[in-house]
Amino acid sequence: MSSQKTILKLQGISKRYGGLQALDNVSLDIRSHEVHALVGENGAGKSTLINILGGIVPRDSGTVVFHDKEVVFNKAQEAIDAGIAIIHQELSMLPTLNIIENIYMGRMVSSFGKINWKIMEEMAREQMARIGLEIDPYSLVQDLTASQRQMVEIAKALSIDASLIVMDEPNSSLSEVDSEKLFKVIESLKKDGMSILYVSHKMEEVLRISDRITAFRDGTYVDTVNTEESSVNDVIQMMVGRDLEREHIHRTVSEETILEVSELCSSRFQDISFKLKKGEILGFSGLVGSGRSEVARAIFGADSFDSGSVLLENEDVRFQSPQQAIRSGVAMVAEDRKVQSLFLKQPIHFNMSMAQLPGLARKQVVKNDRVNALVQKYKEKLNIKMDDSDDPVNSLSGGNQQKTILGRWLATSPKVLILDEPTHGVDIMAKAEIYKLIHELANEGVSIILISSEMPEIIAMSDRVIVMHEGRITGDLKEDEITEEKIMTCAAGMLSYV
Amino acid sequence: MADAVSVSKGQKEKASLLSKIMKQRETGVFLVLVLLCVVMGFASPYFWKPQNIFNILRNMSTIGIISIGMTMIIITAGIDLSVGSMVGATGMVTARLMYMGMNPLLAVVLGFAFGFFLGAVNGLMITRVKIPPFIATLGMMSVARGLTYFFATGIKGAVASNIPLANSAVGFMGGGYIGPIPFPVIEMVVLVLVFQWFLSNTVTGRQIYAVGSNAEAARLSGVNSDRIQIFVYTLTGGFCAMSGIISAGLLSTAATNAGTGTEMDVIAAVVIGGASLSGGEGSIRGAVVGAAIMAVIKNAFVLLHLPAFVQTITLGVVVVLAVASDGLRKKGQPGK
């Protein structure tokens, strides 16, 4: 393989989003005929790098050399023209149009404004044949399977004569058989002289398909290794690196079980069983899409489940709606603040009082003094920075918005509080305050389920950690077992600590 | 010293209250209405005569009453195209029952029940069958109009005919006066005050805003959004029945074409009043002011002897301008 030459060289790339250093002086080189894997935890900077490479966000500093030429992409089109094709995790396709249109959108061959379907069809078939996609090119994309859609995206990349294809988590929605197909296609592309940057956090895949592996951690470059010489543990070690010291706050959790979930099953998760004690902080870890949020939503009555039971204080509850859950003392801060929690245009007091509204009313009439008292209480308790509670909630910063939502749920005096990514997109100060609050609540006897993608958060906060992988519990870790390495191993589905 | 401080604080509060009022979308619409009235006062000496003012108010009463329900529907991010047909159908049912010799009070009660029923069907189609509001109520628009013809002519469907309103007490609901004030105006004012209060002060009222602002967040906050939606559509059916009986009373006859085109006037009034079709925004106050603006414009064209087509064009322009100016106002605000 001495014929390999470097086609892409990134050097000293940095990128800052507001207060967050997403990438700090990272470097990466990709050779021809190479499948290069990029690994790292959530927030390691993988996505930012892809976006810089694709001309979607500008870099703050550093150089990109592509085919021996220094390049700066200001627009996505410039990267495409240069021969870099990016296949995003959430495929960006036009579902109601056919395959030909999806491959050649913006580059349709036409005469006098009329599309020349014959030529287009031939061109599309040629690209599709290269990757063994044997379906009618006139099929609508919305009728295709996830795997076929991915192939269409690859065909599109081929059609622009890309020499580098970036695949962001290409396997997150594929079945095992489909993954095999994808690997074969990748192999054949490699033989044709193409380079592939394969971004993933699935160990098995990465070890199987790649030639070299580069790891990022917290926005910095860690190392690049040859896959042949590496083991699973080496890769995990690269991704994890730091030894997170668990703060041993000796919390005495009572033995009283508050919530008992047994053999909960749905299409998104299987055989979920666990017990939550009074005043316990139970961490839920696992990759995005492992089913953590889905389990929480099922318990809360937001989604239905097929079988299994949920016992709240030894009473069989199967909440048909969040309304029932709230009445029984279960609260949930949902994963996506803007989409699932906030009433953006409405006043702060409106946002904070919504879940507890019936309790703030007498005979259906909302008592404004009770609402104001509530706002005042949580403004002080959570240190929410606001001018006037009549202001719309979207005038607040992310951290204060999140505190407003926390206020909404604390107002319902929950026995069980589910927190799904409670510190996502909030600043460091607010984060620390939210952590302190979680501890206070637990000490007051509130049982907490803490779902988080941030490893340090899970490790520092949890009394116990449940790890999920592809809809199943693969780890139930206590005290000394709560280490980043063990969690990562379970999350990758490599080992079970149940 | 302490006094001075508190005075200045009081002034500051006053100033901020004033700026809050000025920032409210209804304020701008209200100023437009005032301006329109002032201009009309100069243009026609007849405009400010009490009789004319009461005329305007009476003419807007049916639109005003239905716009109460439509405002709530639009706040939930819905729409109801069937209101005009429901006006026709409920008025016709009431008149037909009385014509057949039924006790007038019972006939009116059944007319209302029919309105609530049609509205509830809209709500159930939207929530249980998941038909988009536009389509569900478009269907109802046609069905209710068909039912109007049916109640007017019977099963044979002979020549569509109007049915005279047989009872003067029921006629009073639309055509009566208390002193100089037309009775429908009183009905409208009372309903507007009651439901404006309802919308801003009750649990259900606030949940209506929640459903329209963010349906998923509302559900996760324990709001039964199906119940809320069925409620607003059902209530609107009731307002349509009220308007149907008023307009039958006003003309002393239930016409098969009663309420035709009303849905557009009502939607226009609600939108002029500051509601957003994407939901979560709007007020009944604003909608009534919107209805008043349209009524004053219609009145102006009669008083000034202008041709009807100019009036129709002007009304269209007003709706578009109202929404456009709102877009500009929003753009000017920080953080949007």
Side-chain angles (χ1 to χ4, degrees), chain A residues 297 302 322-323 338-343 345-346 350 355 364 366 368 388 390 408-409, chain B residues 20 197 201-204 206 209-210 213-214 216-222 224 279-281:
Chain A
R297 287 177 62 90
Q323 195 176 19
K338 282 224 163 80
V339 176
Q340 297 171 321
S341 294
L342 289 171
F343 304 103
K345 288 182 283 191
Q346 306 297 343
F350 181 100
Q364 273 283 308
V366 178
N368 282 322
D388 184 340
D390 280 338
R408 175 193 295 173
W409 291 109
Chain B
K20 245 183 207 174
W197 177 86
N201 289 290
T202 63
V203 172
T204 306
R206 294 198 187 184
Y209 281 98
S213 296
N214 186 338
E216 173 72 354
R219 196 172 80 91
L220 293 180
S221 301
N224 186 337
E281 282 179 284

mmCIF file of all heavy atoms in Angstrom, chain A residues 297 302 322-323 338-343 345-346 350 355 364 366 368 388 390 408-409, chain B residues 20 197 201-204 206 209-210 213-214 216-222 224 279-281:
data_model
loop_
_atom_site.group_PDB
_atom_site.id
_atom_site.type_symbol
_atom_site.label_atom_id
_atom_site.label_comp_id
_atom_site.label_asym_id
_atom_site.label_seq_id
_atom_site.Cartn_x
_atom_site.Cartn_y
_atom_site.Cartn_z
ATOM 1 N N ARG A 297 -40.438 7.845 28.315
ATOM 2 C CA ARG A 297 -41.735 8.309 27.788
ATOM 3 C C ARG A 297 -42.832 7.280 28.049
ATOM 4 O O ARG A 297 -43.974 7.629 28.322
ATOM 5 C CB ARG A 297 -41.630 8.604 26.290
ATOM 6 C CG ARG A 297 -40.846 9.884 25.986
ATOM 7 C CD ARG A 297 -40.702 10.088 24.482
ATOM 8 N NE ARG A 297 -41.972 10.241 23.817
ATOM 9 C CZ ARG A 297 -42.576 11.407 23.626
ATOM 10 N NH1 ARG A 297 -42.010 12.520 24.014
ATOM 11 N NH2 ARG A 297 -43.750 11.463 23.026
ATOM 12 N N ALA A 302 -46.458 9.027 27.976
ATOM 13 C CA ALA A 302 -46.431 9.813 26.734
ATOM 14 C C ALA A 302 -46.522 8.901 25.511
ATOM 15 O O ALA A 302 -47.074 9.282 24.489
ATOM 16 C CB ALA A 302 -45.157 10.656 26.668
ATOM 17 N N PRO A 322 -49.840 11.598 29.951
ATOM 18 C CA PRO A 322 -49.014 12.318 30.920
ATOM 19 C C PRO A 322 -49.851 12.921 32.044
ATOM 20 O O PRO A 322 -49.404 13.000 33.181
ATOM 21 C CB PRO A 322 -48.371 13.415 30.070
ATOM 22 C CG PRO A 322 -48.334 12.854 28.696
ATOM 23 C CD PRO A 322 -49.587 12.037 28.568
ATOM 24 N N GLN A 323 -51.085 13.303 31.702
ATOM 25 C CA GLN A 323 -51.978 13.882 32.704
ATOM 26 C C GLN A 323 -52.108 12.963 33.923
ATOM 27 O O GLN A 323 -51.994 13.399 35.065
ATOM 28 C CB GLN A 323 -53.339 14.098 32.055
ATOM 29 C CG GLN A 323 -54.259 15.007 32.831
ATOM 30 C CD GLN A 323 -55.554 15.264 32.072
ATOM 31 O OE1 GLN A 323 -55.915 14.513 31.160
ATOM 32 N NE2 GLN A 323 -56.242 16.323 32.421
ATOM 33 N N LYS A 338 -36.966 22.937 23.132
ATOM 34 C CA LYS A 338 -37.774 23.774 22.226
ATOM 35 C C LYS A 338 -38.966 23.016 21.671
ATOM 36 O O LYS A 338 -40.059 23.559 21.547
ATOM 37 C CB LYS A 338 -36.898 24.256 21.052
ATOM 38 C CG LYS A 338 -35.999 25.411 21.429
ATOM 39 C CD LYS A 338 -36.006 26.479 20.352
ATOM 40 C CE LYS A 338 -35.461 27.794 20.878
ATOM 41 N NZ LYS A 338 -33.998 27.842 20.936
ATOM 42 N N VAL A 339 -38.754 21.756 21.304
ATOM 43 C CA VAL A 339 -39.810 21.007 20.616
ATOM 44 C C VAL A 339 -40.816 20.410 21.596
ATOM 45 O O VAL A 339 -42.006 20.385 21.328
ATOM 46 C CB VAL A 339 -39.181 19.887 19.754
ATOM 47 C CG1 VAL A 339 -40.251 19.026 19.112
ATOM 48 C CG2 VAL A 339 -38.283 20.499 18.692
ATOM 49 N N GLN A 340 -40.330 19.973 22.764
ATOM 50 C CA GLN A 340 -41.215 19.209 23.644
ATOM 51 C C GLN A 340 -41.615 19.925 24.926
ATOM 52 O O GLN A 340 -42.487 19.438 25.637
ATOM 53 C CB GLN A 340 -40.549 17.883 24.018
ATOM 54 C CG GLN A 340 -40.310 17.005 22.804
ATOM 55 C CD GLN A 340 -39.462 15.806 23.137
ATOM 56 O OE1 GLN A 340 -38.523 15.911 23.912
ATOM 57 N NE2 GLN A 340 -39.784 14.665 22.558
ATOM 58 N N SER A 341 -40.976 21.032 25.224
ATOM 59 C CA SER A 341 -41.270 21.644 26.526
ATOM 60 C C SER A 341 -41.789 23.068 26.456
ATOM 61 O O SER A 341 -42.736 23.417 27.130
ATOM 62 C CB SER A 341 -40.015 21.636 27.399
ATOM 63 O OG SER A 341 -39.650 20.331 27.725
ATOM 64 N N LEU A 342 -41.152 23.898 25.650
ATOM 65 C CA LEU A 342 -41.435 25.326 25.757
ATOM 66 C C LEU A 342 -42.635 25.765 24.924
ATOM 67 O O LEU A 342 -42.871 25.251 23.830
ATOM 68 C CB LEU A 342 -40.213 26.131 25.306
ATOM 69 C CG LEU A 342 -39.006 26.101 26.234
ATOM 70 C CD1 LEU A 342 -37.820 26.756 25.554
ATOM 71 C CD2 LEU A 342 -39.312 26.786 27.553
ATOM 72 N N PHE A 343 -43.364 26.725 25.474
ATOM 73 C CA PHE A 343 -44.333 27.481 24.687
ATOM 74 C C PHE A 343 -43.631 28.804 24.394
ATOM 75 O O PHE A 343 -43.730 29.756 25.154
ATOM 76 C CB PHE A 343 -45.617 27.697 25.490
ATOM 77 C CG PHE A 343 -46.231 26.420 25.983
ATOM 78 C CD1 PHE A 343 -46.096 26.034 27.304
ATOM 79 C CD2 PHE A 343 -46.921 25.582 25.116
ATOM 80 C CE1 PHE A 343 -46.655 24.844 27.758
ATOM 81 C CE2 PHE A 343 -47.474 24.397 25.564
ATOM 82 C CZ PHE A 343 -47.336 24.032 26.879
ATOM 83 N N LYS A 345 -43.612 31.508 22.537
ATOM 84 C CA LYS A 345 -44.108 32.878 22.444
ATOM 85 C C LYS A 345 -44.866 33.301 23.690
ATOM 86 O O LYS A 345 -45.238 34.446 23.843
ATOM 87 C CB LYS A 345 -45.031 33.011 21.223
ATOM 88 C CG LYS A 345 -44.260 32.967 19.904
ATOM 89 C CD LYS A 345 -45.196 33.150 18.720
ATOM 90 C CE LYS A 345 -45.964 31.879 18.438
ATOM 91 N NZ LYS A 345 -46.701 31.897 17.165
ATOM 92 N N GLN A 346 -45.124 32.341 24.584
ATOM 93 C CA GLN A 346 -45.937 32.653 25.757
ATOM 94 C C GLN A 346 -45.067 33.164 26.912
ATOM 95 O O GLN A 346 -43.871 32.896 26.968
ATOM 96 C CB GLN A 346 -46.714 31.413 26.203
ATOM 97 C CG GLN A 346 -47.560 30.773 25.116
ATOM 98 C CD GLN A 346 -48.664 31.691 24.590
ATOM 99 O OE1 GLN A 346 -49.009 32.685 25.224
ATOM 100 N NE2 GLN A 346 -49.195 31.383 23.427
ATOM 101 N N PHE A 350 -46.626 31.678 32.241
ATOM 102 C CA PHE A 350 -47.459 30.703 31.533
ATOM 103 C C PHE A 350 -46.699 29.380 31.396
ATOM 104 O O PHE A 350 -47.213 28.300 31.686
ATOM 105 C CB PHE A 350 -47.801 31.270 30.151
ATOM 106 C CG PHE A 350 -48.675 30.404 29.272
ATOM 107 C CD1 PHE A 350 -50.033 30.653 29.167
ATOM 108 C CD2 PHE A 350 -48.132 29.353 28.526
ATOM 109 C CE1 PHE A 350 -50.842 29.874 28.345
ATOM 110 C CE2 PHE A 350 -48.930 28.573 27.713
ATOM 111 C CZ PHE A 350 -50.294 28.831 27.622
ATOM 112 N N ALA A 355 -48.051 22.835 33.919
ATOM 113 C CA ALA A 355 -48.298 21.472 34.406
ATOM 114 C C ALA A 355 -49.110 21.469 35.694
ATOM 115 O O ALA A 355 -49.831 20.527 35.987
ATOM 116 C CB ALA A 355 -46.974 20.738 34.621
ATOM 117 N N GLN A 364 -61.811 26.048 38.503
ATOM 118 C CA GLN A 364 -61.439 26.327 37.113
ATOM 119 C C GLN A 364 -60.847 27.725 36.876
ATOM 120 O O GLN A 364 -60.275 27.990 35.843
ATOM 121 C CB GLN A 364 -62.636 26.135 36.152
ATOM 122 C CG GLN A 364 -62.822 24.723 35.640
ATOM 123 C CD GLN A 364 -61.833 24.374 34.553
ATOM 124 O OE1 GLN A 364 -61.678 25.081 33.567
ATOM 125 N NE2 GLN A 364 -61.132 23.284 34.735
ATOM 126 N N VAL A 366 -58.141 30.404 37.307
ATOM 127 C CA VAL A 366 -56.737 30.473 37.697
ATOM 128 C C VAL A 366 -56.530 31.658 38.631
ATOM 129 O O VAL A 366 -56.947 32.777 38.339
ATOM 130 C CB VAL A 366 -55.834 30.639 36.454
ATOM 131 C CG1 VAL A 366 -54.376 30.760 36.868
ATOM 132 C CG2 VAL A 366 -56.027 29.470 35.507
ATOM 133 N N ASN A 368 -54.317 34.286 39.947
ATOM 134 C CA ASN A 368 -53.060 34.900 39.520
ATOM 135 C C ASN A 368 -52.072 35.099 40.661
ATOM 136 O O ASN A 368 -50.868 35.029 40.444
ATOM 137 C CB ASN A 368 -53.340 36.235 38.829
ATOM 138 C CG ASN A 368 -53.818 36.019 37.406
ATOM 139 O OD1 ASN A 368 -53.331 35.117 36.719
ATOM 140 N ND2 ASN A 368 -54.793 36.794 36.982
ATOM 141 N N ASP A 388 -39.235 40.328 33.855
ATOM 142 C CA ASP A 388 -40.672 40.437 34.102
ATOM 143 C C ASP A 388 -41.264 39.104 33.664
ATOM 144 O O ASP A 388 -40.975 38.634 32.566
ATOM 145 C CB ASP A 388 -41.208 41.577 33.237
ATOM 146 C CG ASP A 388 -42.680 41.842 33.502
ATOM 147 O OD1 ASP A 388 -43.363 40.943 34.031
ATOM 148 O OD2 ASP A 388 -43.147 42.949 33.179
ATOM 149 N N ASP A 390 -43.981 38.444 32.626
ATOM 150 C CA ASP A 390 -44.865 38.583 31.469
ATOM 151 C C ASP A 390 -44.097 38.487 30.149
ATOM 152 O O ASP A 390 -44.698 38.374 29.082
ATOM 153 C CB ASP A 390 -45.591 39.940 31.501
ATOM 154 C CG ASP A 390 -46.775 39.908 32.448
ATOM 155 O OD1 ASP A 390 -47.269 38.798 32.719
ATOM 156 O OD2 ASP A 390 -47.189 40.978 32.899
ATOM 157 N N ARG A 408 -41.463 24.362 36.294
ATOM 158 C CA ARG A 408 -42.777 23.828 35.924
ATOM 159 C C ARG A 408 -43.018 22.478 36.580
ATOM 160 O O ARG A 408 -44.090 22.189 37.089
ATOM 161 C CB ARG A 408 -42.852 23.671 34.407
ATOM 162 C CG ARG A 408 -44.139 23.000 33.936
ATOM 163 C CD ARG A 408 -44.069 22.562 32.490
ATOM 164 N NE ARG A 408 -43.960 23.680 31.572
ATOM 165 C CZ ARG A 408 -43.743 23.530 30.257
ATOM 166 N NH1 ARG A 408 -43.615 22.333 29.727
ATOM 167 N NH2 ARG A 408 -43.652 24.578 29.482
ATOM 168 N N TRP A 409 -41.962 21.632 36.580
ATOM 169 C CA TRP A 409 -42.145 20.270 37.083
ATOM 170 C C TRP A 409 -42.019 20.178 38.584
ATOM 171 O O TRP A 409 -42.688 19.385 39.229
ATOM 172 C CB TRP A 409 -41.200 19.316 36.355
ATOM 173 C CG TRP A 409 -41.651 19.183 34.947
ATOM 174 C CD1 TRP A 409 -41.042 19.678 33.828
ATOM 175 C CD2 TRP A 409 -42.865 18.575 34.497
ATOM 176 N NE1 TRP A 409 -41.811 19.419 32.724
ATOM 177 C CE2 TRP A 409 -42.923 18.741 33.095
ATOM 178 C CE3 TRP A 409 -43.917 17.927 35.141
ATOM 179 C CZ2 TRP A 409 -43.990 18.265 32.333
ATOM 180 C CZ3 TRP A 409 -44.973 17.453 34.392
ATOM 181 C CH2 TRP A 409 -45.000 17.626 33.008
ATOM 182 N N LYS B 20 -46.384 48.704 27.636
ATOM 183 C CA LYS B 20 -46.924 47.358 27.450
ATOM 184 C C LYS B 20 -48.193 47.411 26.602
ATOM 185 O O LYS B 20 -48.390 46.613 25.696
ATOM 186 C CB LYS B 20 -47.257 46.745 28.821
ATOM 187 C CG LYS B 20 -46.404 45.547 29.142
ATOM 188 C CD LYS B 20 -46.829 44.961 30.469
ATOM 189 C CE LYS B 20 -45.648 44.252 31.102
ATOM 190 N NZ LYS B 20 -45.960 43.781 32.442
ATOM 191 N N TRP B 197 -62.960 37.067 29.332
ATOM 192 C CA TRP B 197 -62.565 36.736 30.710
ATOM 193 C C TRP B 197 -62.228 35.248 30.814
ATOM 194 O O TRP B 197 -61.212 34.857 31.380
ATOM 195 C CB TRP B 197 -63.705 37.098 31.672
ATOM 196 C CG TRP B 197 -63.396 36.727 33.088
ATOM 197 C CD1 TRP B 197 -62.724 37.468 34.001
ATOM 198 C CD2 TRP B 197 -63.730 35.491 33.728
ATOM 199 N NE1 TRP B 197 -62.614 36.768 35.173
ATOM 200 C CE2 TRP B 197 -63.212 35.555 35.039
ATOM 201 C CE3 TRP B 197 -64.405 34.348 33.332
ATOM 202 C CZ2 TRP B 197 -63.358 34.509 35.944
ATOM 203 C CZ3 TRP B 197 -64.546 33.319 34.237
ATOM 204 C CH2 TRP B 197 -64.026 33.405 35.534
ATOM 205 N N ASN B 201 -58.613 33.784 31.994
ATOM 206 C CA ASN B 201 -58.577 33.505 33.430
ATOM 207 C C ASN B 201 -58.873 32.076 33.863
ATOM 208 O O ASN B 201 -58.705 31.755 35.033
ATOM 209 C CB ASN B 201 -59.541 34.435 34.170
ATOM 210 C CG ASN B 201 -59.026 35.851 34.178
ATOM 211 O OD1 ASN B 201 -58.045 36.158 34.846
ATOM 212 N ND2 ASN B 201 -59.659 36.701 33.391
ATOM 213 N N THR B 202 -59.318 31.241 32.955
ATOM 214 C CA THR B 202 -59.633 29.888 33.414
ATOM 215 C C THR B 202 -58.552 28.901 32.968
ATOM 216 O O THR B 202 -57.751 29.201 32.078
ATOM 217 C CB THR B 202 -60.973 29.393 32.839
ATOM 218 O OG1 THR B 202 -60.858 29.313 31.430
ATOM 219 C CG2 THR B 202 -62.106 30.326 33.218
ATOM 220 N N VAL B 203 -58.560 27.753 33.600
ATOM 221 C CA VAL B 203 -57.604 26.699 33.255
ATOM 222 C C VAL B 203 -57.774 26.322 31.785
ATOM 223 O O VAL B 203 -56.810 26.277 31.017
ATOM 224 C CB VAL B 203 -57.822 25.467 34.162
ATOM 225 C CG1 VAL B 203 -56.965 24.305 33.696
ATOM 226 C CG2 VAL B 203 -57.506 25.804 35.606
ATOM 227 N N THR B 204 -59.044 26.085 31.394
ATOM 228 C CA THR B 204 -59.289 25.702 30.006
ATOM 229 C C THR B 204 -58.817 26.797 29.049
ATOM 230 O O THR B 204 -58.209 26.502 28.023
ATOM 231 C CB THR B 204 -60.798 25.442 29.792
ATOM 232 O OG1 THR B 204 -61.232 24.493 30.756
ATOM 233 C CG2 THR B 204 -61.069 24.927 28.402
ATOM 234 N N ARG B 206 -56.402 28.954 29.341
ATOM 235 C CA ARG B 206 -54.942 28.955 29.148
ATOM 236 C C ARG B 206 -54.479 27.700 28.419
ATOM 237 O O ARG B 206 -53.509 27.710 27.675
ATOM 238 C CB ARG B 206 -54.243 29.080 30.496
ATOM 239 C CG ARG B 206 -54.545 30.431 31.108
ATOM 240 C CD ARG B 206 -53.582 30.792 32.200
ATOM 241 N NE ARG B 206 -54.057 32.015 32.839
ATOM 242 C CZ ARG B 206 -53.396 32.643 33.791
ATOM 243 N NH1 ARG B 206 -52.246 32.184 34.190
ATOM 244 N NH2 ARG B 206 -53.886 33.746 34.326
ATOM 245 N N TYR B 209 -54.482 28.169 24.697
ATOM 246 C CA TYR B 209 -53.243 28.769 24.189
ATOM 247 C C TYR B 209 -52.110 27.746 24.154
ATOM 248 O O TYR B 209 -51.301 27.720 23.234
ATOM 249 C CB TYR B 209 -52.812 29.955 25.061
ATOM 250 C CG TYR B 209 -53.575 31.230 24.776
ATOM 251 C CD1 TYR B 209 -54.651 31.622 25.553
ATOM 252 C CD2 TYR B 209 -53.209 32.050 23.709
ATOM 253 C CE1 TYR B 209 -55.350 32.791 25.288
ATOM 254 C CE2 TYR B 209 -53.893 33.228 23.435
ATOM 255 C CZ TYR B 209 -54.971 33.588 24.235
ATOM 256 O OH TYR B 209 -55.651 34.742 23.958
ATOM 257 N N ALA B 210 -52.059 26.889 25.185
ATOM 258 C CA ALA B 210 -50.974 25.910 25.261
ATOM 259 C C ALA B 210 -51.027 24.946 24.079
ATOM 260 O O ALA B 210 -50.013 24.665 23.447
ATOM 261 C CB ALA B 210 -51.052 25.132 26.579
ATOM 262 N N SER B 213 -49.804 26.720 21.002
ATOM 263 C CA SER B 213 -48.397 27.137 21.019
ATOM 264 C C SER B 213 -47.470 25.975 20.733
ATOM 265 O O SER B 213 -46.474 26.124 20.038
ATOM 266 C CB SER B 213 -48.002 27.687 22.389
ATOM 267 O OG SER B 213 -48.715 28.832 22.677
ATOM 268 N N ASN B 214 -47.763 24.832 21.328
ATOM 269 C CA ASN B 214 -46.892 23.674 21.189
ATOM 270 C C ASN B 214 -47.677 22.452 21.666
ATOM 271 O O ASN B 214 -47.753 22.187 22.857
ATOM 272 C CB ASN B 214 -45.618 23.873 22.026
ATOM 273 C CG ASN B 214 -44.610 22.765 21.804
ATOM 274 O OD1 ASN B 214 -44.959 21.664 21.363
ATOM 275 N ND2 ASN B 214 -43.363 23.047 22.105
ATOM 276 N N GLU B 216 -47.245 19.244 21.499
ATOM 277 C CA GLU B 216 -46.524 18.183 22.210
ATOM 278 C C GLU B 216 -46.195 18.614 23.644
ATOM 279 O O GLU B 216 -46.387 17.851 24.590
ATOM 280 C CB GLU B 216 -45.243 17.814 21.437
ATOM 281 C CG GLU B 216 -44.303 16.843 22.148
ATOM 282 C CD GLU B 216 -44.837 15.415 22.218
ATOM 283 O OE1 GLU B 216 -46.001 15.179 21.817
ATOM 284 O OE2 GLU B 216 -44.093 14.543 22.686
ATOM 285 N N ALA B 217 -45.719 19.842 23.782
ATOM 286 C CA ALA B 217 -45.404 20.340 25.126
ATOM 287 C C ALA B 217 -46.660 20.386 25.980
ATOM 288 O O ALA B 217 -46.622 20.084 27.172
ATOM 289 C CB ALA B 217 -44.765 21.722 25.045
ATOM 290 N N ALA B 218 -47.785 20.743 25.370
ATOM 291 C CA ALA B 218 -49.036 20.800 26.120
ATOM 292 C C ALA B 218 -49.408 19.411 26.622
ATOM 293 O O ALA B 218 -49.757 19.222 27.785
ATOM 294 C CB ALA B 218 -50.146 21.364 25.237
ATOM 295 N N ARG B 219 -49.283 18.420 25.734
ATOM 296 C CA ARG B 219 -49.634 17.055 26.108
ATOM 297 C C ARG B 219 -48.738 16.568 27.247
ATOM 298 O O ARG B 219 -49.211 15.991 28.229
ATOM 299 C CB ARG B 219 -49.488 16.140 24.893
ATOM 300 C CG ARG B 219 -50.169 14.793 25.029
ATOM 301 C CD ARG B 219 -50.117 14.055 23.714
ATOM 302 N NE ARG B 219 -48.838 13.423 23.488
ATOM 303 C CZ ARG B 219 -48.557 12.176 23.859
ATOM 304 N NH1 ARG B 219 -49.471 11.447 24.446
ATOM 305 N NH2 ARG B 219 -47.370 11.655 23.626
ATOM 306 N N LEU B 220 -47.432 16.824 27.111
ATOM 307 C CA LEU B 220 -46.500 16.375 28.151
ATOM 308 C C LEU B 220 -46.704 17.141 29.454
ATOM 309 O O LEU B 220 -46.259 16.717 30.507
ATOM 310 C CB LEU B 220 -45.050 16.514 27.666
ATOM 311 C CG LEU B 220 -44.636 15.588 26.520
ATOM 312 C CD1 LEU B 220 -43.191 15.834 26.133
ATOM 313 C CD2 LEU B 220 -44.837 14.127 26.889
ATOM 314 N N SER B 221 -47.351 18.303 29.376
ATOM 315 C CA SER B 221 -47.637 19.054 30.598
ATOM 316 C C SER B 221 -48.989 18.673 31.175
ATOM 317 O O SER B 221 -49.515 19.363 32.043
ATOM 318 C CB SER B 221 -47.620 20.562 30.331
ATOM 319 O OG SER B 221 -46.379 20.960 29.829
ATOM 320 N N GLY B 222 -49.579 17.601 30.666
ATOM 321 C CA GLY B 222 -50.828 17.117 31.236
ATOM 322 C C GLY B 222 -52.081 17.761 30.674
ATOM 323 O O GLY B 222 -53.140 17.674 31.272
ATOM 324 N N ASN B 224 -55.091 17.791 28.156
ATOM 325 C CA ASN B 224 -55.807 16.862 27.283
ATOM 326 C C ASN B 224 -56.208 17.625 26.029
ATOM 327 O O ASN B 224 -57.250 18.262 25.968
ATOM 328 C CB ASN B 224 -57.034 16.324 28.021
ATOM 329 C CG ASN B 224 -57.735 15.258 27.227
ATOM 330 O OD1 ASN B 224 -57.611 15.180 26.011
ATOM 331 N ND2 ASN B 224 -58.490 14.423 27.909
ATOM 332 N N GLY B 279 -51.260 29.506 15.255
ATOM 333 C CA GLY B 279 -51.685 29.140 16.600
ATOM 334 C C GLY B 279 -50.959 29.848 17.724
ATOM 335 O O GLY B 279 -49.911 30.452 17.523
ATOM 336 N N GLY B 280 -51.559 29.788 18.919
ATOM 337 C CA GLY B 280 -50.923 30.316 20.109
ATOM 338 C C GLY B 280 -51.087 31.803 20.345
ATOM 339 O O GLY B 280 -50.709 32.300 21.392
ATOM 340 N N GLU B 281 -51.610 32.509 19.360
ATOM 341 C CA GLU B 281 -51.747 33.957 19.495
ATOM 342 C C GLU B 281 -53.141 34.388 19.101
ATOM 343 O O GLU B 281 -53.721 33.835 18.172
ATOM 344 C CB GLU B 281 -50.758 34.665 18.555
ATOM 345 C CG GLU B 281 -49.341 34.694 19.042
ATOM 346 C CD GLU B 281 -48.448 35.387 18.025
ATOM 347 O OE1 GLU B 281 -48.127 34.761 17.005
ATOM 348 O OE2 GLU B 281 -48.107 36.550 18.251
#
